[in-house]
Amino acid sequence: MTNSDYNAGFLGYGDEEITGFRRENKTLFDLAEILNKRLIYLTEFCTTNVKESNWHAKAVAVRLLMRSCGLLQAAILLSERGMIVEGRTIIRGLLEASFGVAALHDDAENYIKLLKGDSEASRRNQLKYLIEQQLIPKSNSAQNIQTSIDNINSKPKLMNQKAIALMGPLGSQYLAYQRLSDDSVHVTARSLNHYINLTEDGLGWDYQWLVGDQESVAKNLYTAILASLPIGLGVAWIIDEPAAINDFSELSRSFHKVEPMII
């Protein structure tokens, strides 16, 4: 890897390394990039044709789609540099978006209600923390902040991703969401173990940078596509766009020919 600048870490990888990662998993990279283009095309169609009110199901679906486009692109970019842990933190976000699209399709009114409640609950918790930790800005007062808390309707709840996943047909993928949380997203014993290498006899270890191999990159790409396809298909159904439904259905059939991979 003569193009590498190892002092820059993953940022030091050059064309040779990136080409190598892409060559090892060409089929999955090609599928991911085709999917990305179709998601972007659908987004452009939506931004031109979907002119609903802010909290209409179609408008919410478009915003979920736009968020997913960026997340998929990030997953591809991280995969081509062998950044496994970092990629998995992004891929969990794609799964979360897919749960949202599925719930929006099956029960839009309830899902949007949960979205609004989650926002209010988050705001309430932040305001309470300001008071509890005495972090009140000089330009404000505890009484003003308490009034803001009291003005938040009822007792909103933070969203539960398990409950969201079970609102639609993607409940079985919640296990992947849990695994990614433990494996990479949160600071856990499992996620920290990515940075050590056990000796062959299992009696010792040393530190290591986790650089993806062919299998780990393949698993990341597979899971990213698995999460993203229902997003495109679900949004196409929500906005009732037959051409996009056909495009994503066709791509799904191609994807299902790939051997399943579990992170």
Side-chain angles (χ1 to χ4, degrees), residues 53-141:
S53 60
N54 183 43
W55 286 110
H56 190 282
K58 290 184 179 181
V60 175
V62 176
R63 300 205 292 278
L64 280 166
L65 174 63
M66 295 176 75
R67 173 178 171 83
S68 302
C69 286
L71 291 174
L72 177 59
Q73 290 165 35
I76 294 171
L77 289 170
L78 291 169
S79 294
E80 72 178 10
R81 290 179 180 270
M83 299 178 72
I84 300 305
V85 170
E86 298 78 10
R88 289 176 181 175
T89 64
I90 298 295
I91 293 166
R92 193 186 76 148
L94 279 169
L95 282 168
E96 193 171 291
S98 73
F99 299 154
V101 170
L104 190 63
H105 178 271
D106 283 16
D107 191 354
E109 182 178 356
N110 192 32
Y111 176 67
I112 291 172
K113 181 180 178 181
L114 291 171
L115 268 181
K116 293 179 179 179
D118 179 77
S119 180
E120 291 289 89
S122 179
R123 177 167 166 261
R124 183 189 185 98
N125 288 346
Q126 291 172 49
L127 292 171
K128 288 177 67 177
Y129 190 78
L130 284 173
I131 293 177
E132 291 169 357
Q133 300 300 317
Q134 298 181 354
L135 300 173
I136 301 167
K138 292 181 180 179
S139 59
N140 215 319
S141 70

Side-chain angles (χ1 to χ4, degrees), residues 15 18 41 61 64 68 95 128 140 142 157 164-165 180 229 232:
D15 292 341
I18 292 171
Y41 181 84
L64 280 166
S68 302
L95 282 168
K128 288 177 67 177
N140 215 319
K157 296 181 180 179
I164 299 298
L180 289 170
L229 272 170

Side-chain angles (χ1 to χ4, degrees), residues 10-241:
F10 290 107
L11 293 179
Y13 279 13
D15 292 341
E16 184 176 342
E17 291 83 4
I18 292 171
T19 300
F21 282 121
R22 283 184 163 272
R23 183 174 56 247
E24 289 177 342
N25 284 294
K26 185 178 186 305
T27 298
L28 286 168
F29 271 110
D30 287 349
L31 275 172
E33 293 198 341
I34 292 170
L35 175 55
N36 174 57
K37 289 179 180 179
R38 292 190 181 178
L39 289 173
I40 292 175
Y41 181 84
L42 179 60
T43 300
E44 292 175 346
F45 176 88
C46 288
T47 56
T48 301
N49 295 282
V50 177
K51 302 298 181 181
E52 315 295 344
S53 60
N54 183 43
W55 286 110
H56 190 282
K58 290 184 179 181
V60 175
V62 176
R63 300 205 292 278
L64 280 166
L65 174 63
M66 295 176 75
R67 173 178 171 83
S68 302
C69 286
L71 291 174
L72 177 59
Q73 290 165 35
I76 294 171
L77 289 170
L78 291 169
S79 294
E80 72 178 10
R81 290 179 180 270
M83 299 178 72
I84 300 305
V85 170
E86 298 78 10
R88 289 176 181 175
T89 64
I90 298 295
I91 293 166
R92 193 186 76 148
L94 279 169
L95 282 168
E96 193 171 291
S98 73
F99 299 154
V101 170
L104 190 63
H105 178 271
D106 283 16
D107 191 354
E109 182 178 356
N110 192 32
Y111 176 67
I112 291 172
K113 181 180 178 181
L114 291 171
L115 268 181
K116 293 179 179 179
D118 179 77
S119 180
E120 291 289 89
S122 179
R123 177 167 166 261
R124 183 189 185 98
N125 288 346
Q126 291 172 49
L127 292 171
K128 288 177 67 177
Y129 190 78
L130 284 173
I131 293 177
E132 291 169 357
Q133 300 300 317
Q134 298 181 354
L135 300 173
I136 301 167
K138 292 181 180 179
S139 59
N140 215 319
S141 70
Q143 183 57 51
N144 288 339
I145 292 175
Q146 185 61 53
T147 299
S148 297
I149 293 173
D150 294 339
N151 286 337
I152 295 175
N153 294 331
S154 64
K155 293 184 178 179
K157 296 181 180 179
L158 294 171
M159 291 179 72
N160 181 311
Q161 286 304 316
K162 180 180 179 181
I164 299 298
L166 293 175
M167 287 173 65
L170 301 178
S172 62
Q173 292 187 24
Y174 182 71
L175 178 60
Y177 179 90
Q178 288 180 302
R179 290 179 64 86
L180 289 170
S181 298
D182 180 40
D183 178 273
S184 298
V185 176
H186 300 306
V187 177
T188 64
R190 182 181 178 88
S191 69
L192 291 179
N193 277 344
H194 287 313
Y195 303 100
I196 63 172
N197 181 45
L198 296 175
T199 58
E200 290 186 7
D201 59 13
L203 299 178
W205 58 272
D206 55 17
Y207 297 106
Q208 70 167 358
W209 288 112
L210 178 63
V211 179
D213 55 16
Q214 187 275 331
E215 181 181 6
S216 59
V217 171
K219 287 180 177 180
N220 275 19
L221 286 170
Y222 180 90
T223 308
I225 297 169
L226 181 69
S228 301
L229 272 170
I231 295 170
L233 190 56
V235 173
W237 276 331
I238 291 168
I239 68 167
D240 192 21
E241 173 50 30

